[in-house]
Amino acid sequence: MASIKQFQVTFDCAEPERVARFWCEVLGYVVPPPPKGFATWDDFARSLPPERRGAAFACIDPSGVGPRLFFQRVPEGKTVKNRLHLDVRVGTGLVGEERLAALEAECTRLVALGAVRVRLLLADGVNESCLTMQDVEGNEFCLD
């Protein structure tokens, strides 16, 4: 049997640190320590050529269970719907009004961080309710 591979999720974006810090707040992730030999990430950034400063940033699950999230600066802006998105699981096991209340509470918290509410998809007999949102750069994600 093949071994399970670790993976990271990579985001293309205009402002890597800003988007990474947003996702840290959403998921309870943290910024990893700076590379060996640097006291801070700012110290590390100053060691890079000017064109590489701010080009990438990452965040990690402090428990080590979830994947690393990596954010890289790209020159083009987002123009179409994501082909991949994250589902933030806040309503697992909940149904009906209890699920809607959990989704709405998390939506309120994330809007305060800069997210945008897109639409509520109500339960349809097959799927439970979920809330479509956008992060600080317009990338779609769901509260599920």
Side-chain angles (χ1 to χ4, degrees):
M1 178 185 261
S3 64
I4 296 174
K5 306 289 188 263
Q6 289 188 340
F7 67 96
Q8 75 177 8
V9 178
T10 300
F11 291 73
D12 290 350
C13 54
E15 298 178 66
E17 184 172 352
R18 176 177 177 243
V19 181
R21 291 191 183 280
F22 170 82
W23 283 103
C24 281
E25 291 295 324
V26 171
L27 301 173
Y29 271 42
V30 298
V31 175
K36 189 173 180 169
F38 296 95
T40 67
W41 279 105
D42 286 338
D43 290 343
F44 174 73
R46 283 189 290 276
S47 75
L48 299 172
E51 67 276 6
R52 294 289 306 143
R53 293 179 190 156
F57 211 80
C59 58
I60 58 172
D61 176 353
S63 72
V65 175
R68 178 179 189 250
L69 302 181
F70 183 75
F71 303 84
Q72 61 187 5
R73 184 173 56 216
V74 295
E76 69 277 357
K78 181 181 177 313
T79 57
V80 297
K81 184 180 183 297
N82 302 0
R83 292 188 55 120
L84 171 83
H85 69 266
L86 300 182
D87 287 342
V88 180
R89 311 290 311 271
V90 298
T92 302
L94 303 176
V95 297
E97 293 301 318
E98 189 177 17
R99 182 179 180 88
L100 287 173
L103 296 176
E104 293 294 348
E106 185 66 357
C107 178
T108 299
R109 183 179 83 85
L110 300 182
V111 165
L113 296 173
V116 174
R117 179 190 180 116
V118 176
R119 72 180 166 280
L120 174 65
L121 301 170
L122 293 172
D124 62 10
V126 176
N127 298 302
E128 282 298 331
S129 298
C130 70
L131 227 164
T132 304
M133 300 191 71
Q134 293 176 334
D135 73 10
V136 295
E137 285 200 358
N139 299 300
E140 294 87 5
F141 68 97
C142 292
L143 296 181
D144 181 19

